[in-house]
């Protein structure tokens, strides 16, 4: 049942993306292993993934973390640390 819900949510996200007319390289729910490159204005860690600027709270520059994408906008995204 959980797998069906996940598939339905991913399909809904893709439909919303297609309606906006662009296809981001990352989508909500993607997992990545990243190294934080810099800090944003609000103190969140910042990393570039496939052209997207991804903000990750509670991280520091140089830290290697696993993240999950929780929100995707046109050119930026927001992730949460998983470790």
């Amino acid at each position: 049942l959980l797998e069906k819900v996940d598939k339905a949510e991913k399909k809904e996200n893709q439909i919303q993306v297609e309606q906006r007319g662009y296809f981001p390289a990352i989508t909500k729910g993607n997992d990545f292993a990243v190294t934080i490159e810099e800090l944003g204005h609000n103190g969140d860690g910042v990393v570039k993934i496939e052209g997207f600027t991804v903000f990750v709270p509670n991280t520091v520059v140089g830290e290697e973390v696993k993240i999950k994408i929780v929100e995707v906008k046109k050119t930026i995204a927001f992730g949460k640390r998983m470790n």
Side-chain angles (χ1 to χ4, degrees):
L1 180 63
L2 183 58
E3 186 175 307
K4 288 181 182 180
V5 171
D6 288 342
K7 286 181 181 179
E9 183 177 313
K10 286 180 182 180
K11 184 171 182 162
E12 180 181 320
N13 288 341
Q14 187 62 36
I15 289 169
Q16 290 173 351
V17 165
E18 289 173 6
Q19 288 173 345
R20 292 186 207 147
Y22 64 93
F23 299 91
I26 61 174
T27 58
K28 182 178 176 181
N30 287 142
D31 296 333
F32 294 95
V34 300
T35 301
I36 301 301
E37 300 168 2
E38 58 186 295
L39 291 181
H41 296 293
N42 294 328
D44 292 341
V46 177
V47 63
K48 298 277 189 175
I49 302 174
E50 298 183 33
F52 278 78
T53 300
V54 180
F55 295 93
V56 185
N58 304 315
T59 56
V60 296
V61 174
E63 187 174 11
E64 295 180 3
V65 294
K66 291 182 182 177
I67 64 169
K68 180 176 286 292
I69 302 300
V70 294
E71 184 178 355
V72 178
K73 306 263 183 184
K74 194 166 187 171
T75 59
I76 65 171
F78 300 90
K80 69 175 184 177
R81 69 182 300 148
M82 300 187 52
N83 60 343

